[in-house]
Amino acid sequence: MTETRPETIALVHGLWMTPRSWEHWVTHYEAQGHTVLTPGYPGFDIEVEALRENPQVIADLTVPETVDHLASVVEGVGTPPIIIGHSFGGTLTQLLLARGLGSAGVVIDSAPTEGVRVNPVSQARSLFPALKNPANRHKAVGFTPEEFHYAFTNTLSEEESRKVWDRYAIAAPGHWVWEYGLFANFKPGHQDTWVDYSADRAPLLFIAGSEDHIMPPSVNRSNAKHYGKSPAVTEYHEFEGRDHWTCAAPGWEAVADHALTWAREHSRTASTGAVGS
């Protein structure tokens, strides 16, 4: 059977971001001959400025409808693509792989799937702006520039962080933070971010940053270890000195290259037998 190297890469953004957050990676990967898709969550596919003017258009979005939408995009690619997700996009990437989609997955500073019970202090502080008021469950909630600096860009200067906030930051559905950051592990039965950790799926790499406040390495290590009984490849890599903004902070190319190199080395293509095919 002839191996076919996947040519399409799907980049899944995180909360408080839009597909714009991948703009450097798109150029970087396209220059290497890849087709790059950056599907937005339903409602997130308008520009940052428009979402800031009317954040409520995304306030009631659900995870299942988001996964369904992303799955339709991935399923529309002839050869199963490499899927790379950042932050909550990492959770969504894990959910897509659990459906048998993708030739390989890379999750960067991933938010956890259900069952990961590690909650470092820096994570609680980062999420406090959304969790401090129960009324936020019904709103789209954003970070102030100062809160964003602590949660996302803590290795940058205040001035550098403000430039990032100005260009990329939006509000996000507050109920996602409450449901999947607080309640999911305490409700009976499986919730929206549950995956079968023992099942087979495409290979999966976790990338963490040693200085990430909102999704610290301990969260990513714990998430990766949950897959210990899966026959599929699961690996973990940690970048020293990197915060949550690692996909666009100075030196982001090293993260992009490591993610793609690993995925290409481990990918299951259609001709070699994609999971679920």
Side-chain angles (χ1 to χ4, degrees):
M1 189 172 291
T2 302
E3 181 177 356
T4 301
R5 175 166 289 180
E7 297 181 345
T8 301
I9 303 166
L11 302 174
V12 184
H13 65 85
L15 283 179
W16 296 289
M17 290 289 144
T18 71
R20 182 187 289 182
S21 63
W22 292 115
E23 58 186 343
H24 302 308
W25 287 47
V26 171
T27 303
H28 192 65
Y29 286 160
E30 286 182 342
Q32 299 176 44
H34 292 278
T35 298
V36 184
L37 306 176
T38 56
Y41 309 170
F44 279 63
D45 45 2
I46 59 177
E47 285 297 337
V48 168
E49 293 76 12
L51 281 167
R52 285 179 176 170
E53 289 185 7
N54 186 16
Q56 283 304 109
V57 299
I58 57 173
D60 297 325
L61 182 66
T62 68
V63 165
E65 66 183 316
T66 302
V67 178
D68 287 346
H69 170 70
L70 295 174
S72 71
V73 173
V74 171
E75 289 168 336
V77 179
T79 301
I82 292 168
I83 306 174
I84 300 176
H86 176 247
S87 196
F88 206 91
T91 304
L92 297 170
T93 296
Q94 293 181 65
L95 295 173
L96 292 171
L97 263 59
R99 291 191 179 193
L101 301 174
S103 61
V106 179
V107 296
I108 304 166
D109 303 334
S110 183
T113 40
E114 185 182 336
V116 178
R117 298 177 181 273
V118 177
N119 299 112
V121 173
S122 70
Q123 184 182 57
R125 178 178 169 182
S126 296
L127 297 176
F128 183 71
L131 296 174
K132 64 182 178 182
N133 186 347
N136 286 340
R137 295 180 66 184
H138 308 291
K139 299 177 180 177
V141 182
F143 290 120
T144 66
E146 294 75 21
E147 292 165 346
F148 184 84
H149 190 199
Y150 179 82
F152 271 70
T153 52
N154 46 292
T155 67
L156 302 183
S157 69
E158 185 175 336
E159 181 180 10
E160 292 169 333
S161 178
R162 181 56 191 254
K163 291 179 180 177
V164 175
W165 187 91
D166 285 342
R167 178 155 179 76
Y168 298 103
I170 62 165
H175 69 96
W176 285 34
V177 182
W178 278 82
E179 291 299 322
Y180 312 116
L182 193 63
F183 293 150
N185 286 331
F186 302 101
K187 287 184 175 180
H190 299 319
Q191 307 303 310
D192 296 332
T193 57
W194 177 84
V195 298
D196 181 354
Y197 289 111
S198 65
D200 195 13
R201 50 151 173 75
L204 173 61
L205 172 66
F206 283 79
I207 291 179
S210 67
E211 305 307 313
D212 188 342
H213 279 171
I214 193 168
M215 294 298 161
S218 58
V219 175
N220 282 265
R221 281 196 299 270
S222 177
N223 200 157
K225 287 180 179 177
H226 275 65
Y227 288 105
K229 294 183 179 179
S230 171
V233 173
T234 306
E235 294 186 5
Y236 172 86
H237 180 84
E238 188 171 316
F239 279 88
E240 288 296 323
R242 308 291 305 199
D243 62 18
H244 200 64
W245 192 237
T246 190
C247 294
W252 61 267
E253 295 91 341
V255 182
D257 290 343
H258 185 89
L260 182 56
T261 298
W262 187 94
R264 294 173 79 177
E265 289 176 352
H266 293 82
S267 64
R268 298 180 182 183
T269 66
S271 58
T272 56
V275 175
S277 63

